Amino acid sequence: MWFDPICPWAWITSRWLLEVEQVRDVDVRFHVMSLSVLNEGRDVPEQYRTLLERGWGPVRVCIAVEQGHGGDAVRAFYTALGTRIHLGRAELGPQLYVDALTDVGLDPALADAATSTGYDEALRASHEAGMRPVGADVGTPVVHAPGPDGRPVAFFGPVVTPAPKGEAAGLLWDGVLLVAGTPGFFELKRSRDVDPSFD
C-alpha cells in the first residue's frame, strides 16, 4: 500500500489491510507516496495548499525511516504517526515526528529529515513507483496486489469508513481483487456522505 500519512482515508484503508492480514494470506507492506508531490503545479484551494506545504515533513521522515531501517520500521512508524495524527489530532511538526519515532524505538534525530530536501529524490521515486500503474488522477490509498490470475493489479482505494473488521475485511478484499483483476474495469464510485470514522 502506498500512503501519505496526512490522508485520513489512507489511514482507514491501512487499518483495514491489517485486518485483512489476519483472515487472508496477505503480507501488507507500506510504501510512501506524497500528496504534496502529486499536487505540485495544480490549482488547489488555499486551505489544501497550506496542508500540502506542511505535508512534505511527514513523508520525508517516512523515507528517512525506510532508508535507515527498512520496511518493517516504516510500518511501525506509520502506525505511530497515524495514530497521533488521526486519532490524537496532533499537529504536523517536529514534536509529532520526535514522539512517533520515540514510540517505535527509532532515533528521534530522524525528525530532522522533515526539513531536508535530501530525501526528495527517494520520495519522488517511491511516489512514482506507487502511482505509475494507477495514473495521476487519483490520490491515496493506492494498493498493488497479485490479481485473481496471479498477475499484478493496482488500484486506488478502497475508500471505506469505518474499516471493516474480521471476515468482513476479508470479504471486501476478495471483492476488490475480483473487480481490480477484471480486464477493462476502471471505476466504481459513489458520493461520500460521511466523514472518516476511525472506529
Side-chain angles (χ1 to χ4, degrees), residues 74-131:
V74 171
R75 177 179 173 135
F77 180 61
Y78 179 36
T79 292
L81 195 59
T83 298
R84 288 178 175 278
I85 293 170
H86 302 296
L87 305 182
R89 304 282 188 216
E91 289 290 319
L92 300 180
Q95 192 60 54
L96 167 65
Y97 314 137
V98 166
D99 292 344
L101 288 161
T102 301
D103 283 351
V104 296
L106 294 172
D107 183 355
L110 287 167
D112 294 342
T115 55
S116 171
T117 59
Y119 295 93
D120 289 1
E121 183 177 347
L123 169 60
R124 290 177 188 280
S126 181
H127 175 89
E128 170 65 15
M131 301 306 290

Side-chain angles (χ1 to χ4, degrees), residues 151 179-185:
R151 289 184 291 171
V179 297
T182 300
F185 179 85

